[in-house]
Amino acid sequence: MTGPEAPARAGRELRSRYTPADLSVFTREEASRFVPRGDGDPQTDIALAWELLYRLEPELYDQLARAERLHPGVVEWLPRDADRIAEVGAGTGRLTLELIKRGQQVVAVEPAAPLRQVLRRKLAAADRGDRAQVTHGFFDRLPLPEHYADLVVACSAFTPAPEHGGEAGLAEMERVCRPGGRVAIIWPNHIDWLAARGYQYVSFPGPMSVEFGSHQEAVELARIFYPKAAEEIRRRGRRTVPFEVLGINPPRDLAFKVLAP
């Protein structure tokens, strides 16, 4: 956690960690997207609370992302030996560290500056980390030329909501993808929305668990991110927690489109 208020937030559920006073952390561009009317309350708007998490407590978010590992089938589905890959909403590198093994050049686009800092640090320590360039950008305004990448991908970041992708963001991802290349949304929500826009759905079978660093970490993060499951996680006494205990879909699926050549 960072900032003078961090100790006071310890253990609080995500929805109650922040107040409207925290909205001042947004840049002008971010505020125009996430609080366009100039007001907003993260205690009633969970999407807004997530945006504040990324900017106020990036290390806390990274703890969660490290625990929620992707299904191996999703990773293996990714094309190998791609010349160029563009990742949108890269966060702290849950997927980026896999992409540098598959692409000669990876551009990781992430709007939140604190998450970019964490990602750059990870890449500096990673084998082949020099293959990735980390840059600022939003779904609907990608800093890349037309037909740039063989694969354009977003992991646990894209939604139909305009501020997190939407029609404009999907069009931008397709603009950046070369003819014959793939656009992929990993761990998607609103499968039907993507299917109506020509995306195919793939899901990989098998049990999946969130793998926390310790049981103590499991309990602490559950209180923040999975409060309804926190007591059950405490009772189990284990650092690994099946996704069904948390009541969320595991990261086992993706939606993709191959662009016409």
Side-chain angles (χ1 to χ4, degrees):
M1 299 181 200
T2 59
E5 297 181 28
R9 294 185 181 126
R12 286 188 187 177
E13 181 184 347
L14 179 61
R15 195 182 294 273
S16 64
R17 291 181 80 78
Y18 314 113
T19 71
D22 290 311
L23 300 179
S24 62
V25 74
F26 289 138
T27 65
R28 182 176 298 180
E29 183 178 20
E30 290 168 347
S32 71
R33 292 169 178 274
F34 305 132
V35 282
R37 294 186 301 274
D39 59 354
D41 186 349
Q43 300 196 1
T44 58
D45 184 343
I46 191 63
L48 192 55
W50 280 97
E51 294 297 337
L52 290 172
L53 170 71
Y54 303 149
R55 291 159 177 85
L56 293 171
E57 301 180 280
E59 300 288 353
L60 176 61
Y61 168 72
D62 188 48
Q63 272 189 287
L64 177 67
R66 290 198 309 267
E68 293 177 340
R69 300 178 186 179
L70 299 174
H71 191 292
V74 170
V75 176
E76 286 304 311
W77 179 92
L78 298 168
R80 294 182 178 272
D81 300 320
D83 287 334
R84 294 174 173 174
I85 298 174
E87 182 187 8
V88 191
T92 58
R94 180 190 346 231
L95 181 62
T96 319
L97 296 178
E98 298 292 342
L99 296 177
I100 59 176
K101 304 171 188 176
R102 288 169 160 72
Q104 295 302 312
Q105 298 177 38
V106 178
V107 177
V109 181
E110 169 53 49
L115 298 188
R116 293 199 302 272
Q117 292 173 0
V118 176
L119 177 52
R120 287 191 179 106
R121 187 174 70 239
K122 288 184 177 182
L123 289 169
D127 183 35
R128 307 184 201 176
D130 58 349
R131 291 185 176 185
Q133 171 192 351
V134 182
T135 188
H136 173 266
F138 293 89
F139 272 105
D140 62 350
R141 194 180 300 169
L142 297 179
L144 294 168
E146 187 174 2
H147 301 164
Y148 172 82
D150 304 291
L151 171 69
V152 183
V153 59
C155 177
S156 185
F158 182 93
T159 80
E163 62 270 27
H164 298 110
E167 296 282 5
L170 202 61
E172 266 289 87
M173 293 179 71
E174 294 182 11
R175 177 189 68 80
V176 167
C177 189
R178 68 165 176 81
R182 300 186 204 178
V183 177
I185 309 296
I186 294 175
W187 206 1
N189 58 14
H190 299 87
I191 298 295
D192 291 344
W193 188 92
L194 288 164
R197 287 151 182 83
Y199 281 71
Q200 302 177 61
Y201 176 66
V202 179
S203 184
F204 298 91
M208 291 188 70
S209 295
V210 181
E211 300 179 30
F212 297 100
S214 65
H215 176 241
Q216 180 180 352
E217 179 182 281
V219 173
E220 290 174 353
L221 293 186
R223 287 172 179 161
I224 299 168
F225 298 105
Y226 319 108
K228 293 181 179 178
E231 180 56 30
E232 174 64 14
I233 291 170
R234 187 200 61 77
R235 187 191 65 77
R236 284 172 170 250
R238 299 177 181 176
R239 72 176 188 89
T240 59
V241 181
F243 272 91
E244 54 264 31
V245 171
L246 305 177
I248 62 173
N249 294 325
R252 66 165 76 251
D253 50 4
L254 59 90
F256 74 96
K257 177 191 282 189
V258 177
L259 297 195

